[in-house]
Amino acid sequence: MSLPRETDVLIVGGGVMGLGIAYHLAKNGVRDVVVLERSYLNYGASGRNGGGVRMQWSTETNIRLMQESIELCKRFAGELKINIWLRQGGYLFLARAEAERARMERNIALQNRCGVPTRLISPAEAKRIVPELEVSELVCAAHNPRDGIVFPWPFLWGYANQAAARGVAICPFTSVERIVPTGAGFRVQTSRGEVRAQRIVNAAGAWSPEVAKLVGIELPNRPHRHEILSTEPLKPFLKPMVSLLSSGLYFSQSMRGEIVTGISVEDHDDGHVKMGSRLQFLTKVARELVRVMPRLSQVKVLRQWAGPYDVSPDGNPIVGEAPSVPGFYLCCGFVGHGFMMAPVVTKYYGEFLAGSARPAFFDPWRPTRFAEGTLVKEEMILG
Amino acid sequence: MSDRVPDCTVFLDGSAVRAVAGEPVAVGLWAAGVRVLSRSVKYHRPRAAFCLAGHCGACLMRIDGQPNVKACQTALREGQRIEHQNSWPAGEHDLLGAADAVFPRGMDHHTMFTSPRAANALLRKMVHRLGGLGRLPERGGELAALPSGRRRKVDVAVIGAGPAGLAAALTCAQDGKRSVVVYDEQDRPGGSLLSHPRFGIAAADALAAEARAVGVELRCHAAAIAWYPEDDGGLLAIDDGGVLTKLTARRYIYATGSYDVNALFENNDRPGIWAARAVGLLATRYRVKLAGRTAILGDGAYAHALAEALASAGSNVEHLASERVLRARGRLWVSGLDLEGGRRVRCDRVAVAAVPAPASELARQHGAAVELRAKGGGFACLVDGRGATRVDQVYACGDVCGFVGVEAARAHGHSVGRAVAESLA
């Protein structure tokens, strides 16, 4: 794709956020849109995540948005002409410590008020949902049968193809080198020449602090490596995504039959995106997984990889126009749940940039909240 | 002539099969007349062993309750339970193979039935049910039984006990001044020597004995699985007979050889179409009498050596050195080949002698540069005259640097072994 010389909206980042916003802009009549991606599309977290979509959160904003996001996932195939393999097998959160029970009860009460049918269940009941579970160490579990998993890659194909079909210029392997505000927009120097843009959207995920720096903005989010692996394909047996609150272990069975699993591993934070794989992760996740699913001890690992979480101080995204640079919009800091939120976030973000009302989530996720000190912590961060 | 005498009974989908204990399951079942070993995931096409080296994935079966086991890498033993996977209703019979006939141009499951919603929901349900390959393992181990890793430090680690690796190891160890250990994923040392009719087990054992005599430690059933640059300053993870070895060495020599590749023609995945080196293994290592007619495709030195060896053993050979094959005939087993120009060749098996692809991914993971060789089957590891890659302490020799065949690989191994010894002097 040749690089346009001028555009209305220039989106930095060819992941699910950037492509989703581009699609919704084009769908709402703004077709003068350019997406720049430094590598191949979905190179970052969008192409490396576990594909979980859940309504079990600890803040009302996240719960309500994810209810809507899963609704949008159900309609995705019809609208974008591509299957995303949504399977609502539920999410089963396991608690090992009594202290986790109170937190679970509080979150379930909030979820129930929002209309999410999460239930606190006993270890025995959890074992009825996943018979292979080792439940002797568990105190209770939270189960929402409407959570599920998707296959991440078709989101890219759907958004990118449909955006391109409406005239959006999608430019992979094009990096942004300099951004100069001109008062009436921006002059953006890329590795493939200059583009003049009226507005810029920073949807660069874990790289968004670097992009923000180009216009002098210091963002508080930091990249954090998360590792993941997948196993040999097995016939379907595991219904829900299962997660242990205490260790951050999660595992599910993909449409292709692989067990996809990850866990948090210590990492030193030097501010740079790291995507190497470590043996440390492999041995840790294997031990923790077999501790709750002994039947999986002989299952063969086929591959492991890593992706960058874009971690904000309070676990919530950073969204909206940067107060110091008019016309420069942020859509970052999604802390490992950006993918599942992309269907709903990009819909409203795209409609907003196309002239609709400012979405409600712009308020709790406004970039100025860190300076104001009004943080609402999201507790349900995994992996 | 064959000196194979069946001495054990195994059970295929519950039926008794007589076999030679110690031989690979894939070889024993084939010798006993079993044709289809597995079904492809999506179209349920019949598959059987292609490479006999554990690399092609065409012989995955359920063995003693474990799913997706490579039948070519598993030794037969008395009472073994072997089952077909991914077929319906069961065994060699798979009605889902109809998918292949119903969609002759293939089916794009990503874009099919995206609407209406009811059709899409049904599609998702069906795809979910049909997905996956083997069933969950019957048993899991106890946590306590999980093997823990062990650390190991050596002077020189050689990956691959083929002609290049063995030669490099023995040259490097000759003066007795350093510890040299060779890891190989196969059940015995020799690599491509074992499948070459002019070398075979005797030559492999002789080279291995020579290496052991100068103090080289040979470890088989030991697959190097990954180079981890960040763990403990960099380590090579080895699955050494089911136990993790975290290996660090002063020098690493990648002698990982090459993968067999197929030629491009219609139905090239039919059972009975083997890599030429797999047919070489059947004849040379396993001493199976090759009844009927063998069509050999390819013009390389190996194709000629195999054709000559099979012919002199009294086998009926059709060597198609330069003819272009259009398609294979036969439904569950190959029965012939259609050639360009209209000629049809009848055969009972096909040996494809395409240029093997360098097994360069591990060296590449360790930082070695690779280069795509258009006619060389894949990415070759780049080395200088001493076998050194662009990364300090990392060397490579043999087919991994571009396919050269047994003798040249051995010679390269000797010279790289010498260079590595000098670098440590």
Side-chain angles (χ1 to χ4, degrees), chain B residues 56 113 124 155 196 224 240 261 391 401:
Chain B
C56 72
F113 295 115
R124 281 184 283 138
D155 290 324
H196 202 297
D240 191 346
V261 301
V391 189
C401 306

Side-chain angles (χ1 to χ4, degrees), chain B residues 220-290:
Chain B
C220 291
H221 288 299
I225 52 175
W227 169 256
Y228 288 101
E230 290 181 64
D231 292 85
D232 304 332
L235 62 84
L236 194 59
I238 295 174
D239 172 4
D240 191 346
V243 179
L244 173 68
T245 293
K246 302 174 189 175
L247 185 76
T248 47
R250 293 169 68 202
R251 299 288 181 275
Y252 301 86
I253 304 178
Y254 290 99
T256 39
S258 52
Y259 300 121
D260 295 299
V261 301
N262 208 334
L264 287 180
F265 55 88
E266 195 179 321
N267 294 334
N268 67 354
D269 62 337
R270 277 288 174 263
I273 297 175
W274 308 75
R277 293 196 293 194
V279 175
L281 279 175
L282 291 176
T284 307
R285 178 173 174 187
Y286 301 114
R287 304 200 179 100
V288 187
K289 172 87 181 136
L290 293 172

Side-chain angles (χ1 to χ4, degrees), chain B residues 7 16 82 91 124 129 145 152 165 168 174 229 239 256 265 296 314 324 347 351 364 379 404 412:
Chain B
D7 58 358
I82 305 164
R124 281 184 283 138
R129 200 157 290 174
R152 194 163 179 203
Q174 225 144 27
D239 172 4
T256 39
F265 55 88
I296 298 176
R324 211 169 92 79
C347 62
R364 183 181 194 172
F379 289 90
V404 287
H412 195 210

Side-chain angles (χ1 to χ4, degrees), chain A residues 72-225:
Chain A
L72 290 170
C73 283
K74 288 188 196 167
R75 283 184 254 148
F76 196 99
E79 182 178 336
L80 282 296
K81 312 283 175 244
I82 193 117
N83 287 310
I84 56 162
W85 307 114
L86 170 69
R87 181 170 66 81
Q88 288 175 283
Y91 249 70
L92 183 62
F93 281 104
L94 309 175
R96 272 200 191 129
E98 272 302 330
E100 291 163 12
R101 183 198 295 267
R103 202 173 85 179
M104 239 177 206
E105 281 172 346
R106 198 173 61 238
N107 289 340
I108 289 172
L110 177 61
Q111 290 157 18
N112 290 167
R113 275 201 302 281
C114 296
V116 178
T118 315
R119 286 194 314 126
L120 189 75
I121 60 175
S122 66
E125 221 174 323
K127 200 172 171 63
R128 280 200 289 279
I129 298 168
V130 182
E132 297 83 6
L133 269 186
E134 172 56 58
V135 294
S136 59
E137 294 183 88
L138 304 181
V139 295
C140 64
H143 181 241
N144 171 24
R146 293 201 201 145
D147 293 336
I149 56 165
V150 295
F151 180 40
W153 282 91
F155 284 80
L156 153 77
W157 304 327
Y159 284 142
N161 290 345
Q162 295 301 327
R166 287 164 174 79
V168 172
I170 297 172
C171 307
F173 300 104
T174 310
S175 56
V176 174
E177 284 158 4
R178 269 183 69 196
I179 301 175
V180 183
T182 58
F186 302 88
R187 273 196 356 252
V188 180
Q189 217 159 72
T190 80
S191 55
R192 293 171 57 208
E194 191 177 284
V195 190
R196 286 172 171 274
Q198 297 292 310
R199 296 177 280 179
I200 293 178
V201 180
N202 180 358
W207 293 270
S208 56
E210 280 178 50
V211 173
K213 258 193 201 119
L214 296 175
V215 289
I217 297 173
E218 286 290 333
L219 288 178
N221 44 332
R222 311 275 293 179
H224 195 281
R225 165 164 52 183

Side-chain angles (χ1 to χ4, degrees), chain B residues 129-216:
Chain B
R129 200 157 290 174
L130 294 174
L133 200 55
R135 281 174 293 115
L136 186 67
E138 246 163 48
R139 295 181 315 274
E142 295 299 307
L143 182 63
L146 264 188
S148 41
R150 63 181 169 214
R151 293 213 50 116
R152 194 163 179 203
K153 285 191 166 111
V154 295
D155 290 324
V156 181
V158 181
I159 307 307
L166 289 173
L170 82 89
T171 310
C172 198
Q174 225 144 27
D175 58 7
K177 290 186 180 157
R178 56 199 71 86
S179 56
V180 180
V181 56
V182 185
Y183 291 93
D184 194 290
E185 61 182 350
Q186 303 287 327
D187 61 342
R188 65 187 301 159
S192 58
L193 285 161
L194 294 167
S195 57
H196 202 297
R198 284 213 311 280
F199 299 95
I201 290 179
D205 286 355
L207 194 58
E210 218 184 308
R212 284 197 185 97
V214 294
V216 173

Side-chain angles (χ1 to χ4, degrees), chain A residues 83 225 232 235 279 297 304, chain B residues 68 110 120 134 141 228 230:
Chain A
N83 287 310
R225 165 164 52 183
E232 60 185 311
K235 286 288 173 207
L279 182 59
S297 69
Q304 68 178 108
Chain B
N68 308 330
H110 290 298
N120 188 256
Y228 288 101
E230 290 181 64

